[in-house]
Amino acid sequence: MVIRLFGRDFRLLRRLMSKKNRVYLVENKDGRFALKLYRAPHHRRSAAEYRVLRDAFQKGVAVPQAVAFIEKKALLMKHIPGENLCDLLNRRCLIEYADKLARWYGSFHRLFRRPDGSTLLRGDSNLRNFILRKDGSIFGIDFEETAWGDPSRDIGQICASILDTEPMFTPAKAALCRRLIARYGEIAGQESLEYRIVSQIARALRETAQRRPRQRRYLVKQAGLLEQHGLDYFLLST
């Protein structure tokens, strides 16, 4: 199937995973691209996403290059070949993933930091919004939910995503979260972040519980245990 957008013809290869919008892998003589077609109400965030992609790419943060944009309608980006980090991490919980995520968030937050210490958060911080290429580099995708706030919110969300995907709440995943928090603290020049970020992990787990009715009670219970005992509870569990 051939579609025409931005004054160019593209061959539609396949639909890519997206719960909010329609996203396709397309190609033409210039290469392969990810084409996002916005749907209401998410189209209202299209301009913000485009600006973040443009600014982050220009400053060297690992994000897809935005090639063309029509506000509230469509965004064309260079395709990032690779596998989403969720599937990779759930197969093999490698400690190096923590270091890669910490470096990515450190670069992103540093780029958009304000004098008052707040920063632009990537938002929707979950493992499926990161792609690992064969060369080992990690790319962030999907920036519709960016908002200004405390960077610990982003780190808490991504740690919750590590813990609440199968297999859930394993010692290896808890160790990965502790490593991520420590490495991010070193990069950001902040010490003793774990206590503050643990509360953000618990908050994110409760938010996820609202979207997963079958796991709701379990996730809420784990959030409570995390607040009471910290990551040590899961590190010592069998």
Side-chain angles (χ1 to χ4, degrees):
M1 179 180 177
V2 176
I3 58 174
R4 187 167 182 81
L5 271 174
F6 311 108
R8 312 179 221 178
D9 290 330
F10 296 92
R11 186 161 66 94
L12 183 65
L13 299 179
R14 69 175 185 271
R15 189 165 180 173
L16 302 175
M17 183 176 177
S18 176
K19 294 180 179 179
K20 295 177 288 187
N21 298 291
R22 289 175 294 161
V23 183
Y24 300 93
L25 178 63
V26 300
E27 72 174 1
N28 64 13
K29 61 182 179 60
D30 297 316
R32 290 191 170 188
F33 305 87
L35 172 64
K36 177 180 284 191
L37 302 177
Y38 290 97
R39 294 191 294 191
H42 312 292
H43 67 294
R44 292 178 294 187
R45 299 289 301 162
S46 64
E49 179 173 33
Y50 172 68
R51 286 194 300 270
V52 170
L53 281 174
R54 181 195 60 198
D55 293 349
F57 181 82
Q58 289 176 350
K59 297 294 185 180
V61 179
V63 300
Q65 181 182 3
V67 177
F69 173 67
I70 302 174
E71 187 170 355
K72 297 184 179 180
K73 291 186 178 181
L75 172 64
L76 187 70
M77 300 162 282
K78 286 284 187 69
H79 174 57
I80 306 298
E83 189 169 0
N84 78 74
L85 196 55
C86 183
D87 293 342
L88 286 167
L89 190 147
N90 289 340
R91 290 201 302 270
R92 295 183 67 199
C93 191
L94 301 180
I95 203 71
E96 67 187 62
Y97 295 150
D99 295 344
K100 292 177 186 294
L101 285 167
R103 287 193 295 269
W104 190 94
Y105 277 105
S107 297
F108 186 83
H109 290 161
R110 184 167 56 248
L111 171 62
F112 293 104
R113 183 171 294 132
R114 286 173 167 171
D116 65 2
S118 66
T119 187
L120 187 69
L121 310 182
R122 69 143 294 141
D124 197 15
S125 282
N126 70 78
L127 291 170
R128 291 197 178 277
N129 283 336
F130 288 93
I131 301 295
L132 185 71
R133 300 199 313 184
K134 287 184 178 180
D135 65 5
S137 58
I138 191 172
F139 276 68
I141 62 172
D142 197 351
F143 294 89
E144 292 173 37
E145 297 187 21
T146 55
W148 293 94
D150 184 338
S152 66
R153 174 72 169 146
D154 264 349
I155 307 303
Q157 280 189 343
I158 196 62
C159 286
S161 182
I162 291 169
L163 293 169
D164 70 19
T165 54
E166 296 291 350
M168 293 187 179
F169 300 99
T170 65
K173 287 191 169 183
L176 197 74
C177 290
R178 175 160 284 172
R179 170 77 173 210
L180 195 164
I181 293 167
R183 288 290 293 121
Y184 177 82
E186 293 171 7
I187 292 166
Q190 301 178 50
E191 297 181 357
S192 305
L193 280 179
E194 186 168 321
Y195 178 79
R196 179 152 54 103
I197 289 178
V198 158
S199 66
Q200 293 289 352
I201 301 173
R203 175 184 172 184
L205 288 173
R206 291 191 174 97
E207 290 170 348
T208 300
Q210 298 306 307
R211 302 190 298 270
R212 299 185 190 173
R214 293 182 180 180
Q215 298 174 339
R216 185 170 298 159
R217 292 181 64 183
Y218 175 68
L219 290 175
V220 170
K221 178 182 177 181
Q222 301 308 100
L225 290 169
L226 185 65
E227 287 176 322
Q228 291 178 44
H229 307 290
L231 288 169
D232 285 338
Y233 179 84
F234 303 106
L235 283 164
L236 300 174
S237 64
T238 57

